[in-house]
């Protein structure tokens, strides 16, 4: 009994010590990382985020340090964080080095749009926050959610197009957009293109997509759904004539975070629906 009591006391002491040493002032440089932190119920430890942290709504009320690709070193340092979580796209590299030279603890996690990288992000955030097995539980949950979708290749000729500045950009391979289309069983009509590139009206018509996927921000930039469908090139596609346009929240579609299954489900439903699906 005495040995058991000693063991329990040692375990309790260890847990208390771990809790005390776990970071309590965290800055997140990347929307998907911010989502993971909240999903792990550790949002109360965030003291700052970058401009891409648009979900959940609570994240938008935190102090911002700029966009993760060009964040403010001074802004981050001023928040006095004991941990900075960043994707490998955060930067520039000199900015990460500057933070480390200031004695700040910076953990960089992979941003690739793959299930493997997502699992590494979840496990990495969980471990950095001292949350023990929570990351493993979330990874198992994500795997189960995706498996339950039972997605089969549909072969639907799909164009994923963005409109950030008034000019259309189509998504080719090596993009998060392309990864989402593949996971949703769709066929990317721009599979011969690499990355995001401007899309001309003539090219859009020639591609003849059966479905078009875009983001909420892109639709707003276009002036709404009807204005989007009337854009040169878009209007002449089979997708526009059938009004088969799937509109999904930007971070849900392109974040590749803990809501991946929700994004895929929305995409799958929209691609197979006979009429316009919006979100």
């Amino acid at each position: 009994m005495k040995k058991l009591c000693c063991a329990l006391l040692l375990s309790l002491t260890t847990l208390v010590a771990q809790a005390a040493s776990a970071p309590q002032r965290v800055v997140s440089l990347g929307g998907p990382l911010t989502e993971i932190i909240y999903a792990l119920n550790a949002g109360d430890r965030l003291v700052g985020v970058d401009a891409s942290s648009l979900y959940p709504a609570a994240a938008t009320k935190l102090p911002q340090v700029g966009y993760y690709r060009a964040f403010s070193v001074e802004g981050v340092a001023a928040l006095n964080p004991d941990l900075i979580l960043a994707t490998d796209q955060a930067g520039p590299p000199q900015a990460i080095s500057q933070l480390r030279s200031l004695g700040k603890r910076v953990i960089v996690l992979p941003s690739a749009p793959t299930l493997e990288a997502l699992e590494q992000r979840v496990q990495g955030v969980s471990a950095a926050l001292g949350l023990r097995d929570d990351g493993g539980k979330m990874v198992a949950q994500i795997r189960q959610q995706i498996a339950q979708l039972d997605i089969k290749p549909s072969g639907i000729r799909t164009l994923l197009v963005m409109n950030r500045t008034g000019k259309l950009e189509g998504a080719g391979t090596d993009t998060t957009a392309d990864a989402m289309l593949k996971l949703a069983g769709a066929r990317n009509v721009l599979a011969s293109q690499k990355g995001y590139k401007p899309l001309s009206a003539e090219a859009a018509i020639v591609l003849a997509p059966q479905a078009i996927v875009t983001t909420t921000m892109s639709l707003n930039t276009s002036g709404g759904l009807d204005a989007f469908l009337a854009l040169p090139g878009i209007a002449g596609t089979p997708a526009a004539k059938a009004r088969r346009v799937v509109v999904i929240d930007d971070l849900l579609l392109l974040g590749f975070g803990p809501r991946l299954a929700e994004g895929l489900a929305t995409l799958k439903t929209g691609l197979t629906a006979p009429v316009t699906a919006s979100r």
Side-chain angles (χ1 to χ4, degrees):
M1 178 61 76
K2 185 176 180 181
K3 289 183 178 179
L4 177 61
C5 290
C6 289
L8 289 173
L9 180 60
L10 179 60
S11 298
L12 180 61
T13 303
T14 302
L15 288 174
V16 171
Q18 287 176 338
S21 61
Q24 300 298 318
R25 296 185 61 81
V26 182
V27 170
S28 172
L29 299 176
L33 298 182
T34 302
E35 281 200 35
I36 292 171
I37 294 169
Y38 275 101
L40 290 169
N41 296 315
D44 59 341
R45 299 197 209 174
L46 281 168
V47 296
V49 296
D50 84 303
S52 73
S53 299
L54 300 172
Y55 184 90
T60 64
K61 298 174 183 175
L62 292 169
Q64 289 200 355
V65 296
Y67 191 54
Y68 69 96
R69 291 180 184 272
F71 68 87
S72 164
V73 173
E74 294 77 11
V76 173
L79 295 172
N80 192 29
D82 52 11
L83 173 66
I84 299 153
L85 293 171
T87 75
D88 55 15
Q89 297 296 312
Q94 308 91 283
I96 297 292
S97 298
Q98 279 184 274
L99 287 175
R100 286 177 169 149
S101 68
L102 292 172
K104 300 298 180 183
R105 183 186 178 205
V106 183
I107 293 181
V108 177
L109 296 164
S111 62
T114 65
L115 290 174
E116 293 75 15
L118 170 57
E119 292 179 3
Q120 291 173 10
R121 286 192 287 278
V122 171
Q123 296 278 24
V125 170
S126 178
L129 295 176
L131 295 176
R132 300 172 65 83
D133 299 330
D134 291 13
K137 293 177 182 175
M138 181 177 289
V139 166
Q141 184 180 39
I142 292 172
R143 287 177 180 171
Q144 182 182 31
Q145 290 171 338
I146 293 176
Q148 289 176 341
L149 293 177
D150 192 28
I151 295 175
K152 302 287 192 307
S154 66
I156 296 175
R157 292 175 52 79
T158 306
L159 170 66
L160 201 153
V161 66
M162 309 285 286
N163 184 12
R164 299 185 178 96
T165 61
K167 294 183 179 179
L168 296 180
E169 283 189 325
T173 57
D174 286 349
T175 63
T176 302
D178 182 67
M180 288 294 288
L181 291 183
K182 287 177 180 174
L183 286 174
R187 177 183 170 192
N188 188 352
V189 294
L190 285 173
S192 62
Q193 167 187 302
K194 187 174 182 179
Y196 292 97
K197 292 184 179 178
L199 181 69
S200 68
E202 295 78 11
I205 293 174
V206 170
L207 290 169
Q210 298 169 292
I212 294 175
V213 179
T214 192
T215 68
T216 303
M217 286 185 181
S218 294
L219 199 71
N220 292 338
T221 302
S222 302
L225 180 59
D226 289 337
F228 177 80
L229 290 171
L231 288 173
I234 296 294
T237 64
K241 292 174 182 175
R243 296 181 71 85
R244 181 175 284 181
V245 180
V246 188
V247 185
I248 306 179
D249 174 79
D250 294 60
L251 201 52
L252 181 61
L253 177 63
L254 303 174
F256 237 86
R259 295 185 296 153
L260 178 60
E262 181 184 346
L264 288 174
T266 305
L267 189 51
K268 175 187 175 185
T269 301
L271 288 174
T272 54
V275 294
T276 300
S278 62
R279 183 180 175 84

